[in-house]
């Protein structure tokens, strides 16, 4: 490759270079070519060569097939290019107008390359360009859950589109067949007060899984650049990876106590209809009132169901010898029921004998941590398992019943009453111990009042002393000033 070398007109560049050599870096586009040079010593050249060799070894590792459970390899890309953005150019170079113009070019900035790559034809992207996009995606909440192999496949299919200021991105009621990633700029969700989304925000993520219409109108607040992931592309890539992981999922299902009863053929058939779902932290799986349509199995992470209940306490106190007053105090408490790896979520309604298609979900389930779920639709579940199998599931549920909200409230109230009894026992023990030393309750109360009064007197005396001290210091200072003036 031919390179051109240009002599700088800067005064600093005329200084003797001693033992330095100059490397020329060429940044070319179809329209224009940029040239710049930086000085390096022999030791620096050796370090750069060693760093490049190390990165090539990492690239070979990343190209291997990656399992969902291989956490170290899945996160390795986060650290592969962690030195980007830390390099500081010399001040004499940063001050040049041609260099400032060059830095704004998408072919110079590593971050801006992502958008320019997604503007290209997906079938003409090289492995190096796909890896640059994958480095960007792996740092986003939704994509960091995925294996690197799947992230690279998505990187090869991402598309880019730009919108001018105040331009409508999509209207409410439009067909929702893609998810938007805000690469740069701001997007306002019309109809929701002051909801403005910035870079790295994901919009309409559910459009990757369900065919529905847009719920809101989106408008670009400033010049905005979006990365677009089509649902068909995403589902195709996800199904391809689910097939590649079929053996691992089959082994995971067989290890579950509920499915260990069935034959290998039945488990294999069940795993062939399983689908995958990624959830980021605090994202909702389903809400109370939604249709009962899927059965979920936690493969990674933790799901949770929040329970809110009101507990009532009654306070009573005498106002004379024959009359008491009472007051009921209500306390609201909330806590979570967690679903760990291997647990089934939302299946009790499906295997219910009194199942009705009109029934709705009774609780809201959300992701407490980042999760990966295996799930199957209700219709496919009944295609795999017959009526005898459903009876087995029902017997299993009777033997290991899930925690219901009514049972949870009952257990909480019982624990609260037990706690009150323990507190009363402790109070009685304290009073009985005090009586052994000839202290009754009234005497103890008087002693406490006396101690409180002594404490108040000491605090009052301390405040008076502080005030007097400040007055004396002030008078002394004024006398010194008057003597100096005299």
């Amino acid at each position: 490759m031919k390179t051109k070398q240009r002599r700088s007109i800067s005064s600093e560049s005329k200084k003797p270079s001693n033992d330095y050599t100059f490397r020329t870096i060429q940044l070319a586009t179809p329209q224009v070519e940029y040239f710049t040079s930086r000085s390096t010593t022999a030791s620096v050249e050796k370090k750069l060569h060693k760093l490049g060799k190390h990165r090539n070894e990492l690239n070979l590792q990343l190209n291997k097939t990656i399992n969902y459970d291989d956490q170290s390899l899945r996160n390795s890309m986060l650290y592969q290019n962690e030195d980007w953005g830390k390099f500081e150019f010399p001040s004499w170079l940063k001050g040049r107008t041609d260099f400032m113009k060059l830095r704004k070019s998408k072919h110079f900035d590593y971050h801006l390359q992502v958008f320019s790559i997604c503007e290209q034809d997906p079938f003409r992207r090289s492995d190096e360009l796909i890896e640059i996009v994958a480095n960007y995606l792996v740092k986003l909440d939704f994509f960091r859950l995925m294996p690197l192999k799947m992230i690279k496949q998505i990187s090869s299919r991402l598309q880019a589109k730009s919108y001018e200021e105040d331009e409508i991105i999509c209207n409410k009621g439009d067909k929702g067949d893609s998810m938007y990633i805000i690469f740069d700029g701001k997007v306002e969700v019309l109809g929701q007060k002051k909801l403005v989304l910035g870079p790295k925000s994901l919009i309409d993520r559910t459009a990757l899984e369900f065919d529905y219409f847009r719920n809101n109108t989106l408008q670009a607040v400033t010049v905005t650049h979006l990365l677009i992931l089509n649902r068909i592309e995403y589902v195709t890539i996800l199904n391809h990876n689910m097939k590649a992981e079929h053996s691992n999922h089959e082994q995971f299902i067989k290890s579950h106590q509920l499915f260990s009863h069935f034959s290998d053929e039945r488990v294999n058939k069940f795993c062939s209809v399983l689908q995958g779902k990624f959830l980021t932290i605090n994202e909702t799986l389903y809400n109370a009132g939604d249709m009962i349509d899927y059965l979920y199995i936690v493969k990674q992470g933790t799901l949770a169901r929040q329970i809110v209940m009101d507990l009532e306490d009654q306070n009573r106190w005498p106002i004379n010898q024959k009359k008491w007053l009472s007051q009921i105090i209500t306390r609201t408490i909330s806590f979570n029921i967690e679903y760990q790896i291997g647990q089934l979520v939302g299946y009790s309604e499906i295997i219910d004998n009194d199942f009705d298609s009109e029934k709705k979900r009774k609780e809201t389930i959300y992701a407490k941590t980042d999760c990966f779920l295996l799930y199957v639709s209700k219709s496919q579940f009944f295609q795999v398992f017959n009526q005898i199998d459903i009876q087995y599931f029902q017997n299993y549920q009777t033997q290991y019943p899930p925690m219901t909200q009514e049972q949870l409230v009952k257990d909480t109230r019982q624990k609260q009453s037990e706690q009150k009894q323990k507190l009363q026992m402790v109070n009685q023990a304290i009073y009985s111990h005090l009586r052994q030393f000839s202290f009754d309750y009234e005497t103890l109360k008087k002693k406490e009042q006396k101690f409180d009064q002594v404490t108040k007197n000491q605090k009052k005396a301390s405040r008076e002393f502080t005030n007097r001290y400040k007055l004396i210091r002030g008078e002394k200072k004024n006398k010194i000033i008057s003597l100096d003036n005299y």
Side-chain angles (χ1 to χ4, degrees):
M1 181 179 69
K2 293 184 178 181
T3 60
K4 298 180 181 180
Q5 187 151 350
R6 184 180 62 183
R7 186 175 59 185
S8 175
I9 60 174
S10 172
S11 59
E12 295 185 12
S13 63
K14 297 179 181 179
K15 295 180 180 179
S17 59
N18 296 331
D19 296 332
Y20 288 86
T21 59
F22 285 87
R23 292 196 315 154
T24 301
I25 303 171
Q26 181 178 357
L27 303 172
T29 67
Q31 295 83 14
V32 64
E33 294 186 355
Y34 299 97
F35 297 91
T36 183
S37 61
R38 61 180 179 183
S39 59
T40 57
T41 61
S43 60
V44 174
E45 288 282 353
K46 186 177 180 181
K47 290 180 180 179
L48 289 172
H49 178 72
K50 187 176 181 181
L51 179 61
K53 184 178 179 181
H54 177 65
R55 284 184 176 173
N56 290 333
E57 293 175 356
L58 288 177
N59 290 336
L60 292 175
Q61 293 181 2
L62 294 174
N63 289 330
K64 295 180 181 178
T65 302
I66 297 173
N67 189 0
Y68 283 95
D69 300 323
D70 197 338
Q71 193 71 26
S72 60
L73 286 178
R74 191 188 329 175
N75 294 332
S76 61
M77 190 175 288
L78 287 171
Y79 310 102
Q80 183 183 1
N81 292 300
E82 62 180 359
D83 57 336
W84 280 100
K86 295 182 179 179
F87 178 78
E88 282 292 333
F89 293 98
S91 57
W92 65 267
L93 184 59
K94 289 192 294 184
R96 293 178 59 92
T97 55
D98 54 350
F99 182 74
M100 288 190 289
K101 183 179 179 180
L102 173 63
R103 292 193 68 174
K104 296 179 181 179
S105 169
K106 62 184 179 182
H107 303 282
F108 181 87
D109 193 310
Y110 181 81
H111 177 71
L112 295 179
Q113 286 185 42
V114 175
F115 189 79
S116 62
I117 293 170
C118 294
E119 288 180 313
Q120 300 177 13
D121 186 352
F123 298 98
R124 295 184 178 180
R125 298 175 191 173
S126 63
D127 294 338
E128 291 78 8
L129 298 180
I130 291 174
E131 187 171 345
I132 292 175
V133 180
N135 272 294
Y136 172 80
L137 292 181
V138 78
K139 297 173 185 177
L140 303 182
D141 292 341
F142 176 62
F143 295 97
R144 73 164 181 261
L145 310 175
M146 302 177 185
L148 290 179
K149 182 180 178 181
M150 184 174 175
I151 294 176
K152 288 185 177 181
Q153 291 172 348
I154 292 175
S155 301
S156 65
R157 292 293 180 265
L158 271 182
Q159 299 176 5
K161 191 172 182 180
S162 300
Y163 294 86
E164 298 297 328
E165 183 178 350
D166 297 332
E167 185 178 354
I168 298 296
I169 299 173
C170 66
N171 290 297
K172 183 177 181 180
D174 290 349
K175 186 177 180 181
D177 57 355
S178 59
M179 180 189 74
Y180 299 119
I181 305 171
I182 303 178
F183 182 77
D184 191 25
K186 294 182 180 180
V187 174
E188 182 180 5
V189 182
L190 301 181
Q192 300 188 22
K193 294 182 178 179
K194 297 181 180 179
L195 181 55
V196 179
L197 304 176
K200 296 186 179 181
S201 297
L202 274 62
I203 306 176
D204 282 345
R205 202 192 67 74
T206 53
L208 297 179
E209 300 170 1
F210 306 105
D211 187 8
Y212 80 116
F213 297 98
R214 304 288 185 187
N215 296 326
N216 298 285
T217 299
L218 304 178
Q219 183 179 13
V221 179
T222 61
V223 176
T224 303
H225 306 290
L226 300 181
L227 302 179
I228 303 173
L229 177 59
N230 189 275
R231 179 175 67 249
I232 297 177
E233 299 283 1
Y234 174 76
V235 172
T236 303
I237 294 171
L238 181 60
N239 290 340
H240 177 75
N241 281 271
M242 288 294 293
K243 289 180 181 179
E245 294 292 325
H246 179 84
S247 59
N248 293 328
H249 297 330
E250 186 174 354
Q251 185 177 1
F252 173 73
I253 295 298
K254 285 181 180 179
S255 64
H256 197 285
Q257 184 178 358
L258 180 62
F259 297 97
S260 59
H261 165 78
F262 299 100
S263 63
D264 294 344
E265 182 181 358
R266 187 66 60 84
V267 173
N268 185 29
K269 186 178 179 181
F270 178 64
C271 292
S272 64
V273 297
L274 284 176
Q275 303 177 59
K277 184 180 182 69
F278 295 95
L279 284 179
T280 57
I281 185 171
N282 294 327
E283 190 175 0
T284 302
L285 177 61
Y286 58 77
N287 291 296
D290 289 350
M291 297 292 296
I292 302 174
D293 46 6
Y294 293 104
L295 180 149
Y296 300 92
I297 307 174
V298 182
K299 181 69 165 58
Q300 289 182 358
T302 303
L303 295 176
R305 173 161 60 105
Q306 189 177 40
I307 301 297
V308 180
M309 66 177 64
D310 295 331
L311 297 178
E312 295 181 351
D313 294 330
Q314 185 177 17
N315 291 340
R316 300 175 69 248
W317 63 94
I319 57 176
N320 54 41
Q321 294 182 352
K322 296 183 179 181
K323 194 171 183 180
W324 288 66
L325 285 180
S326 62
Q327 182 182 10
I328 296 177
I329 301 174
T330 302
R331 294 186 298 112
T332 301
I333 61 174
S334 62
F335 47 89
N336 294 326
I337 297 178
E338 296 183 356
Y339 299 90
Q340 305 291 343
I341 295 176
Q343 290 187 297
L344 277 68
V345 182
Y347 79 101
S348 57
E349 300 93 338
I350 294 180
I351 64 174
D352 191 358
N353 279 326
D354 300 328
F355 179 77
D356 185 4
S357 59
E358 300 297 327
K359 283 187 177 180
K360 308 292 184 180
R361 298 285 190 186
K362 296 181 180 179
E363 67 273 345
T364 298
I365 305 294
Y366 71 97
K368 190 174 182 181
T369 63
D370 294 336
C371 299
F372 175 67
L373 310 177
L374 301 174
Y375 72 97
V376 61
S377 66
K378 179 178 59 179
S379 58
Q380 289 177 326
F381 181 79
F382 285 115
Q383 289 175 6
V384 175
F385 300 103
N386 54 33
Q387 190 61 36
I388 299 176
D389 300 332
I390 300 301
Q391 185 63 43
Y392 170 77
F393 288 133
Q394 292 172 351
N395 295 336
Y396 182 88
Q397 183 181 2
T398 304
Q399 187 177 1
Y400 303 99
M403 179 69 72
T404 62
Q405 185 168 352
E406 292 77 12
Q407 182 181 356
L408 191 61
V409 172
K410 183 179 178 181
D411 293 346
T412 304
R413 293 187 186 280
Q414 183 178 355
K415 290 180 181 179
Q416 187 189 31
S417 61
E418 293 176 355
Q419 188 176 6
K420 285 183 178 179
Q421 292 178 1
K422 291 180 181 179
L423 184 61
Q424 290 176 358
M425 293 174 61
V426 171
N427 289 335
Q428 291 176 0
I430 292 173
Y431 291 145
S432 62
H433 180 73
L434 291 174
R435 291 191 188 98
Q436 293 179 3
F437 295 93
S438 301
F439 283 110
D440 57 2
Y441 179 74
E442 294 296 331
T443 305
L444 183 63
K445 190 173 181 180
K446 290 180 181 179
K447 288 183 177 293
E448 288 178 352
Q449 291 176 352
K450 186 177 180 180
F451 174 77
D452 292 340
Q453 188 62 39
V454 171
T455 305
K456 290 179 181 178
N457 294 339
Q458 289 290 350
K459 291 181 178 179
K460 183 178 179 181
S462 178
R463 286 196 298 269
E464 291 177 355
F465 173 78
T466 303
N467 293 335
R468 289 179 183 176
Y469 180 74
K470 289 181 179 179
L471 289 173
I472 294 172
R473 288 290 301 270
E475 292 176 357
K476 184 177 179 181
K477 186 176 180 179
N478 291 333
K479 288 181 180 180
I480 293 173
I481 292 173
S482 61
L483 289 174
D484 290 341
N485 293 334
Y486 180 76

